[in-house]
């Protein structure tokens, strides 16, 4: 589904990604771990098409499309979803309104009729249950004054609403209390299917007990330096990143 | 060019929608401004002597006055002798009902999305349609008159209800108030008149739609709204003009008088032609709007969405004379390209326990300049009065300007004034967040801008609100940074 080959990306002439390779197939969950500043969020942004980053070398294929051809909103409509590490506030725009605009624009791009108020509400109700989020929160300005946990939960709610093919969760677990972590993980697991794939970026092995990955990758200094199965996460937790540095 | 600038550029380059004009026979006064013109206008309107004299007095005053120069506007020299002060579509005879209005005129308004045929109208709105200098008809008059509500053109009010006009004309905005109100008092040609009797809640929105059609003319209309004790009315005003290379002058006066326990809600969606991308043409909009909360517990609320005009100079204000009276001002002013707006409000607290609220949202894009100017004055005897002001500016790109000029005078200790002001830019982060959810740039900007202006937009009557939201997006199409 996603194939990244020799990806080099920089921002303001600072090289961040330096020859990154990653292959994700449908039905898989990949975890990406790595020290602060190693380029995890950068990778997520580059896949999503943020134009502040220059891709200087390499390419990203998604569902047999060369992604560089597509604008961020086109990528989103193709089914790429990014749960932001730092969700953005938009004053005066409720999550409901935000999602209504998004869902209907995605539908339109597929030649489907926009959902009317009743149908939309029904969809919302269904997805709200999944992450146990309250209507009241969704009618407030999006992310404005939300607690850290509420923001993350709201991201997963949006993911559920948009039903993406590839979801990238950037540190969705940070800021969640134990109960919320379970709820969110449970939501993600429910949405998992053989037709979609998930990349979870995290610092904590704990999340991977709930969202069990098929692969774990270690991203350091702009490259994936080690890949393995879920046991790699345990090993990392025990030994720290220096262990990998030393081995390389 | 950065990504943002690119979006900005596309979004701000949308064409004006109502830029066409229609040729119909007009009865137009010769170009120029002098006493004879004032007399001519009065004569054409078959006005009583007292009104002619009132005009003449205003005109002699006007000759002694100078254009105001305190605004943050760069106003090119206006040649007041180069304008025709009266232009009216020719009528064959006196009209008895809307059915007799020239079909061409009806079509003109239909093209603007305004149907003057009652059976086609949304039943919740009565319309007075003013083209150039005259009102061409008012809908639902009969239905309203059953309740004792008078809603008609100003000229008709002068003929049918002279005592009311004479009693209230110029009491809220004296002709000498300022240069433009003085000019208006001398040469005003038509406008709307509305009287809501005691205890009546007007069951429909009353609205006036202003259209400038003829070239080389100015539009100088007056609106007078009187809400008697315990009455309520919601009033709407809309305006458009053709695209013309020369600038056209619009200098209107609106007066509102609210008696004890009365409430008037006045909403405007101003969409005069703003000029082209390079700042050529467009309407100069110099408007004086003021309401007086005359009786105790009365309330006047102004809501304005200002998107058009090359220059906007406008400060809808409230004089809070009655005890416990309330004045509100909600404004969204959008400027793009080379538009300039200097707009805001005055809240004059005279009665005790009076309250005022000011919510102003400026949005500037392109090379435009957008200023908020407000004056809150609480006089000594206005004990326990309150004002809350919030003035926000949103910048799209970095070639435009936003300015805030709040003036506050409180003359007693028991009153309180709160003022908040912010300036922000549409964030790249906000746009990317929208894009990432599949929303395209244009819709993203529309969403963000409408969210920003929501507090004001939600004050508008439903039908207007939707229109205003579309208008905001259209005006800004192409702009973000
Ligand atoms: N505009 C910029 N100019 C220069 N360097 C930048 C810029 N933006 C980000 N960086 C740098 O890029 C590097 C990678 O950042 P990124 O956010 O991708 O890290 P991360 O792996 O997600 O870290 P964390 O675990 O803390 O979230 C960091 O060193 C950061 O400082
Ligand atoms: Mg990060």
């Amino acid at each position: 589904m996603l194939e990244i080959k020799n990806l080099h990306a920089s921002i303001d002439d600072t090289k961040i990604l330096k020859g990154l390779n990653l292959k994700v197939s449908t039905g898989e969950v990949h975890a990406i771990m790595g020290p602060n500043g190693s380029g995890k969020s950068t990778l997520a942004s580059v896949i999503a098409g943020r134009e502040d980053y220059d891709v200087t070398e390499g390419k990203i294929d998604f569902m047999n499309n060369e992604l560089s051809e597509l604008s961020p909103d086109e990528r989103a409509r193709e089914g790429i979803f990014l749960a932001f590490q730092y969700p953005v506030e938009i004053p005066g725009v409720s999550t409901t309104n935000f999602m209504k605009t998004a869902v209907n624009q995605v539908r339109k791009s597929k030649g489907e009729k926009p959902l009317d108020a009743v149908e939309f509400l029904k969809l919302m109700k269904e997805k709200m249950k999944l992450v146990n989020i309250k209507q009241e929160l969704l009618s407030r300005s999006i992310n404005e004054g939300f607690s850290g946990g509420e923001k993350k939960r709201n991201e997963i709610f949006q993911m559920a609403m948009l039903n993406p093919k590839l979801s990238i969760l950037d540190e969705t677990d940070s800021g969640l209390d134990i109960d919320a972590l379970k709820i969110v993980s449970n939501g993600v697991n429910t949405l998992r299917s053989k037709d979609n794939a998930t990349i979870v970026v995290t610092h904590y092995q704990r999340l991977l007990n709930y969202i069990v990955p098929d692969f774990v990758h270690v991203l350091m200094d702009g490259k994936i330096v080690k890949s393995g199965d879920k046991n790699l996460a345990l090993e990392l937790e025990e030994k720290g990143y220096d262990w990998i540095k030393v081995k390389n | 060019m950065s990504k943002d600038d690119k979006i900005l550029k596309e979004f701000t380059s949308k064409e004006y929608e109502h830029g066409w004009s229609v040729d119909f026979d007009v009865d137009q006064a010769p170009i120029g401004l002098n006493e004879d013109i004032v007399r001519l206008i009065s004569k054409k309107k078959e006005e009583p002597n007292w009104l002619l004299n009132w005009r003449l007095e205003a005109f002699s005053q006007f000759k002694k006055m100078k254009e105001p120069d305190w605004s943050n506007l760069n106003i090119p020299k206006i040649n007041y002798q180069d304008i025709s002060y009266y232009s009216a579509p020719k009528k064959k005879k006196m009209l008895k009902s809307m059915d007799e209005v020239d079909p061409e005129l009806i079509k003109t308004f239909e093209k603007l999305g305004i149907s003057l045929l009652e059976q086609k109208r949304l039943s919740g709105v009565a319309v007075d349609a003013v083209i150039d200098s005259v009102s061409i008809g008012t809908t639902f008059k009969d239905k309203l008159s059953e309740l004792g509500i008078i809603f008609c053109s100003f000229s008709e009010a002068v003929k049918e209800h002279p005592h009311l006009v004479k009693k209230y004309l110029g009491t809220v905005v004296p002709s000498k108030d300022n240069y433009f109100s003085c000019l208006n008092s001398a040469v005003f040609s038509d406008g709307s008149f509305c009287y809501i009797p005691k205890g009546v809640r007007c069951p429909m929105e009353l609205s006036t739609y202003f259209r400038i059609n003829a070239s080389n003319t100015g539009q100088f209309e007056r609106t007078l709204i009187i809400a008697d004790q315990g009455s309520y009315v919601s009033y709407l005003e809309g305006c458009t003009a053709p695209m013309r290379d020369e600038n056209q002058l619009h200098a209107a006066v609106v007066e509102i008088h609210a008696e004890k326990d009365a409430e008037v809600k006045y909403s405007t969606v101003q969409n005069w032609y703003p000029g082209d991308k390079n700042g050529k043409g467009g309407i100069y909009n110099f408007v004086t709007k003021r309401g007086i909360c005359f009786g105790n517990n009365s309330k006047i609320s102004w809501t304005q969405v200002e998107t058009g005009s090359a220059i906007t100079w406008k400060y809808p204000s409230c004089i809070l004379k009655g005890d416990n009276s309330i004045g509100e001002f909600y404004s969204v002013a959008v400027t793009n390209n080379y538009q300039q707006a200097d707009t805001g409000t005055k809240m004059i607290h005279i009665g005790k326990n009076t309250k005022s609220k000011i919510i102003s949202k400026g949005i500037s894009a392109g090379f435009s300049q957008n200023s908020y100017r407000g004056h809150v004055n609480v006089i000594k005897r206005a004990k326990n009065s309150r004002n809350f002001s919030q003035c926000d500016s949103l910048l799209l790109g970095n070639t435009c300007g936003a300015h805030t000029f709040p003036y506050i005078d409180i003359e007693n200790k028991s009153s309180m004034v709160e003022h908040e002001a912010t300036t922000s830019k549409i964030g790249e982060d906000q746009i990317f967040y929208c894009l990432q959810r599949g929303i395209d740039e244009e819709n993203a900007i529309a969403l963000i801008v409408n969210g920003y202006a929501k507090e004001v937009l939600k004050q508008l009557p439903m039908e207007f609100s939707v229109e205003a939201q579309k208008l905001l997006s259209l005006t800004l199409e192409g702009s973000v940074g």
Side-chain angles (χ1 to χ4, degrees), chain A residues 6 42 61 97 103 122 139-140 178 180 247:
Chain A
N6 188 32
T42 302
D61 280 317
N97 190 9
V103 166
K122 199 174 147 232
S139 21
R140 274 166 52 187
I178 298 287
K247 274 183 74 179

Side-chain angles (χ1 to χ4, degrees), chain A residues 40-42 85-86 170-171 201:
Chain A
K40 302 180 299 296
S41 296
T42 302
Q85 182 174 2
Y86 305 108
D170 193 357
E171 296 196 27
V201 173

Side-chain angles (χ1 to χ4, degrees), chain B residues 20 22 24 104-112 131:
Chain B
W20 42 271
V22 181
F24 27 68
E104 264 309 304
L105 290 176
I106 291 188
K107 262 194 248 157
T108 301
F109 277 91
E110 276 190 354
K111 220 167 142 184
L112 294 166
I131 206 153

Side-chain angles (χ1 to χ4, degrees), chain A residues 50-52 73 76-77 80-82 84 88-89 91-93 101-102 105 143 155 158, chain B residues 3 6 428-430 432-441 443 447-448 451-452 454:
Chain A
R50 187 149 191 163
E51 296 185 17
D52 307 330
D73 51 320
R77 293 195 290 268
I80 293 177
F81 180 90
L82 172 59
F84 285 62
V88 182
E89 297 176 3
V93 179
T101 312
Q105 186 149 9
N143 293 321
E155 292 291 289
Q158 293 179 42
Chain B
K3 171 73 179 172
K6 222 164 58 201
E428 222 176 289
D429 287 350
Q430 291 175 327
F432 182 66
Y433 195 53
C434 296
L435 294 177
Q436 212 303 304
R437 300 305 187 241
I439 300 169
D440 65 23
E441 288 163 354
N443 285 322
L447 198 68
I448 296 166
Y452 167 79
K454 188 173 163 201

